[in-house]
Amino acid sequence: MAYQQQYQQQYGYQYGQYQHHQQQKQGSKTVVVRDGDPYIYLYVMGEWYAYNPNEDLLGSGAMGDVYRGYRVKDGKVIAVKRVKDCYANVKMIRERARLEASLAFRHPNLVEMLGSCEYAPDYGPIFILSNFVQGRNIDEFVKQFDDSPTRVEKISNAICSVLDALDYVHSRGVIHRDIKPSNIMVENDTNVRLMDLGISRMNGGNGFSSCGFIGTPQYSAPEQIKREDGESNAPQINATTDIYELGITFYELLDGHNPMDCTSESETLAKQISEKLPNSAKIPDRLMEVIWKATEKNQSSRYQTALAFKEAIQQALIPEPTASEKFSAWLQSHVALVVGGAAAAMVGILAVIISLL
């Protein structure tokens, strides 16, 4: 709130007159900088936004740096991702940035995009704007449950929320392709949101599928790596790719480390292609079986949909019956059989007696 009030007092209210003047002066410019003002102003989908590049970053990823920004008319806090300068002039990266900004999804477990803007269509900085999410990465969030008897259940529920988000984007033809703990945010310690669709791929092709390996090696599915190696019969990237990555993420959150992480990237990629996840004493057996299926090397052996993965997790969390409950169920079924058998025998005897009369 302090940021918002400070922005409004210093820049927000006086910007109305400046906006009108600048639009007349600059014509169709969507990125504006003015002398003596530390803010960069961005015009997106009919609204002006602003951010101060001198402020501390909210975060940094493979494609860009994220800053706290504001909507000019009311000071509402938003997030501004500026694509890193080393990528900004790469046509493929610019197209991906526009794609991410255009994914106008509305789902409680996704971040709502506001749009993008750029100095020019082919060069210079490009900005992606989204609603601001107040929270922390899921790997930080789960640390508070280390000694909790409900730790496994809480982590599993968070993963189920991610699967709800994946079910939504998959149904709209989008594959995320970079699921990992740093791309899952827990908002105010309650709501889980899947972040960063910046390298997502539209089913049916968006021109990026032949551009090489994209993702994070410690979480990447074998088919992502094989496509990078140029294998002629490399499998297609699809919903099961995200399921594999989330399976690795799920294992890491439960176990505390990622067993695919090696000192060299080549070792990590080799493990992803050929090595099964090791059993973990920290993961219940039934849940371990679910994770193994999600991370099968063969795509056809994995869960084929996010909902199937979610249902398997929920089923694995149902407590197994105790020994006494099992015995009680066995006794009831066998007593029914005995009683049923005795009744049948009595009917048979009566039939014989009647036939003799």
Side-chain angles (χ1 to χ4, degrees):
M1 185 61 69
Y3 279 100
Q4 185 174 341
Q5 291 174 342
Q6 179 185 10
Y7 172 79
Q8 284 282 56
Q9 290 169 1
Q10 293 183 8
Y11 303 106
Y13 293 124
Q14 67 184 18
Y15 194 68
Q17 293 180 337
Y18 167 75
Q19 176 184 338
H20 177 70
H21 169 71
Q22 199 68 18
Q23 282 179 314
Q24 289 181 323
K25 180 181 177 182
Q26 301 291 347
S28 61
K29 262 196 173 181
T30 58
V31 182
V32 175
V33 180
R34 56 179 178 168
D35 293 339
D37 186 341
Y39 282 82
I40 295 176
Y41 295 92
L42 310 169
Y43 191 67
V44 176
M45 300 295 288
E47 293 274 8
W48 281 99
Y49 300 88
Y51 84 99
N52 186 345
N54 300 314
E55 289 184 359
D56 292 339
L57 294 173
L58 292 176
S60 185
M63 277 184 62
D65 297 321
V66 182
Y67 297 86
R68 184 190 303 268
Y70 310 89
R71 187 165 62 192
V72 167
K73 70 178 182 181
D74 57 10
K76 177 187 175 182
V77 179
I78 56 119
V80 178
K81 181 194 288 186
R82 174 174 173 156
V83 176
K84 290 182 177 179
D85 290 343
C86 59
Y87 299 132
N89 294 336
V90 178
K91 181 179 179 182
M92 179 184 69
I93 298 297
R94 295 185 81 85
E95 290 178 354
R96 278 205 186 94
R98 294 187 193 110
L99 172 64
E100 177 183 9
S102 72
L103 298 176
F105 294 153
R106 301 292 183 269
H107 190 279
N109 301 120
L110 290 170
V111 178
E112 185 176 341
M113 306 307 297
L114 299 173
S116 66
C117 64
E118 49 200 308
Y119 281 108
D122 301 315
Y123 65 91
I126 181 168
F127 305 90
I128 304 168
L129 278 63
S130 66
N131 279 341
F132 178 74
V133 176
Q134 180 69 49
R136 48 182 167 165
N137 290 339
I138 194 169
D139 50 353
E140 291 295 321
F141 170 73
V142 302
K143 287 179 181 178
Q144 64 185 315
F145 305 130
D146 282 349
D147 300 319
S148 171
T150 60
R151 176 178 178 273
V152 170
E153 181 182 357
K154 288 177 178 177
I155 294 173
S156 299
N157 288 338
I159 293 297
C160 285
S161 293
V162 178
L163 286 165
D164 285 338
L166 285 180
D167 176 62
Y168 180 87
V169 297
H170 289 169
S171 71
R172 284 151 179 80
V174 173
I175 310 301
H176 189 286
R177 298 203 298 174
D178 195 26
I179 296 172
K180 54 189 176 182
S182 61
N183 277 340
I184 302 171
M185 183 79 76
V186 182
E187 184 179 24
N188 299 321
D189 283 353
T190 54
N191 189 48
V192 178
R193 290 188 187 268
L194 179 61
M195 313 282 288
D196 199 0
L197 289 165
I199 64 170
S200 61
R201 175 181 181 275
M202 299 296 291
N203 280 343
N206 62 2
F208 306 143
S209 59
S210 63
C211 296
F213 172 70
I214 298 170
T216 304
Q218 292 84 349
Y219 307 91
S220 294
E223 59 269 20
Q224 292 172 281
I225 301 162
K226 290 176 181 178
R227 292 183 70 83
E228 162 70 359
D229 291 340
E231 291 191 13
S232 57
N233 296 320
Q236 293 296 310
I237 291 170
N238 58 30
T240 68
T241 304
D242 285 345
I243 286 169
Y244 182 99
E245 291 184 333
L246 188 58
I248 299 286
T249 298
F250 193 13
Y251 182 103
E252 179 178 329
L253 294 174
L254 290 168
D255 181 79
H257 85 289
N258 186 323
M260 298 297 181
D261 191 12
C262 300
T263 53
S264 73
E265 184 174 299
S266 60
E267 288 180 89
T268 296
L269 297 179
K271 270 192 170 187
Q272 294 286 28
I273 290 174
S274 61
E275 292 191 21
K276 180 180 179 178
L277 285 171
N279 198 2
S280 171
K282 297 181 180 179
I283 303 176
D285 292 344
R286 294 171 67 196
L287 212 48
M288 192 69 241
E289 292 289 342
V290 171
I291 293 173
W292 274 329
K293 182 171 177 62
T295 56
E296 286 278 0
K297 305 305 178 184
N298 188 329
Q299 285 177 286
S300 63
S301 299
R302 299 174 201 156
Y303 298 106
Q304 297 300 294
T305 67
L307 285 183
F309 190 4
K310 177 182 176 180
E311 288 168 4
I313 292 172
Q314 292 173 331
Q315 189 65 32
L317 292 176
I318 297 174
E320 291 195 60
T322 64
S324 61
E325 288 172 337
K326 288 180 180 178
F327 177 74
S328 177
W330 178 89
L331 189 60
Q332 289 177 11
S333 64
H334 282 70
V335 165
L337 287 174
V338 170
V339 171
M346 182 62 68
V347 169
I349 292 170
L350 288 173
V352 172
I353 293 173
I354 291 169
S355 67
L356 293 175
L357 294 176

